[in-house]
Amino acid sequence: MFAPRVAVSSLSGESDAAWADAAAPHVGAAFLGGVALDDASQAAARDLVARGRSEFLADDPVAFVADQLDSLAGFDGADRFVAVNVRATSSGPIREVAAVCADRGAGVEINAHCRQDELCAVGCGETLLRDTDRLAEYVAAAAESDAPVGAKVRAEIDGVDLPSLAVALDDAGADWLHVDAMDSEAVIADVAAAAPDLFLVANNGVRDRETATEYLDYGADAVSVGRPSDNPAVLRRVRTAVDDWFAGREGDAESGDESGVSA
């Protein structure tokens, strides 16, 4: 989907076009957002701001997405990728924002990840992990636009089987799955085995060579950096580690050793 195989991951209220452009020298992808699209999710975002959390609040969130994508300057190469992480309580707004993204060559990432009480109370974020049909509906609605579509999900949720969920989202038309592995890094291997056609982006704690290559060894196609995404030193370290890992894979293939296990 993109190269280099390093992304910066959405941070609510912070991950805008300027943030993405600052990271562009070091990464192949940026996930902007998250952006609340409808009245219920926007009300929840306002409640979060009232208690001190940073959120994107816009009178017209779809126009906000369009403006952000139009102002990007650093992601114009064939191997570069941008998507917008979005929240909604129905498929209509997702279908609308997906059309905007498709017109600009960008993707849509359905947020099934945020765990704040305010968002969960209205049916956004990680509540979607326990409602596979609704999450799959959102993915399918976005896919109608022909924009690339993915979902960001979270591990360690009771009663949620991520490999099975990955299969359902693949069937619904998803192109990628962005997994916050929490403290269960090995779940990446299970998801990769269950849904091999999905491009798998691994997230959580990616800071250096050790943390990046662990996810790649488990079968991730790429890694994403969250909180330190505005730190060029961290992005350089991760980029170097990921480039070296894939260079090693190419060397193994040329020599006939395709085990892919890092030393």
Side-chain angles (χ1 to χ4, degrees), residues 100-178:
V100 166
C101 292
D103 286 345
R104 291 158 175 81
V108 181
E109 181 174 82
I110 311 302
N111 185 315
H113 172 264
C114 285
R115 55 185 174 182
Q116 287 73 28
D117 291 343
E118 293 88 343
L119 290 166
C120 291
V122 299
C124 291
E126 70 176 32
T127 59
L128 288 168
L129 298 176
R130 295 192 179 95
D131 192 346
T132 301
D133 290 344
R134 188 158 60 96
L135 181 53
E137 176 193 345
Y138 290 1
V139 167
E144 292 173 7
S145 69
D146 292 328
V149 182
K152 188 172 185 185
V153 301
R154 181 188 296 279
E156 299 183 356
I157 303 299
D158 289 343
V160 175
D161 182 64
L162 280 185
S164 297
L165 180 62
V167 172
L169 298 184
D170 187 12
D171 290 344
D175 299 290
W176 78 87
L177 194 65
H178 193 169

Side-chain angles (χ1 to χ4, degrees), residues 57-107:
L57 297 177
D59 292 337
D60 185 339
V62 175
F64 171 78
V65 168
D67 289 344
Q68 289 296 306
L69 293 174
D70 289 343
S71 66
L72 281 169
F75 287 86
D76 55 356
D79 294 329
R80 316 285 278 184
F81 182 67
V82 170
V84 183
N85 180 286
V86 298
R87 309 172 184 136
T89 60
S90 64
S91 58
I94 291 173
R95 190 176 286 107
E96 185 179 358
V97 81
V100 166
C101 292
D103 286 345
R104 291 158 175 81

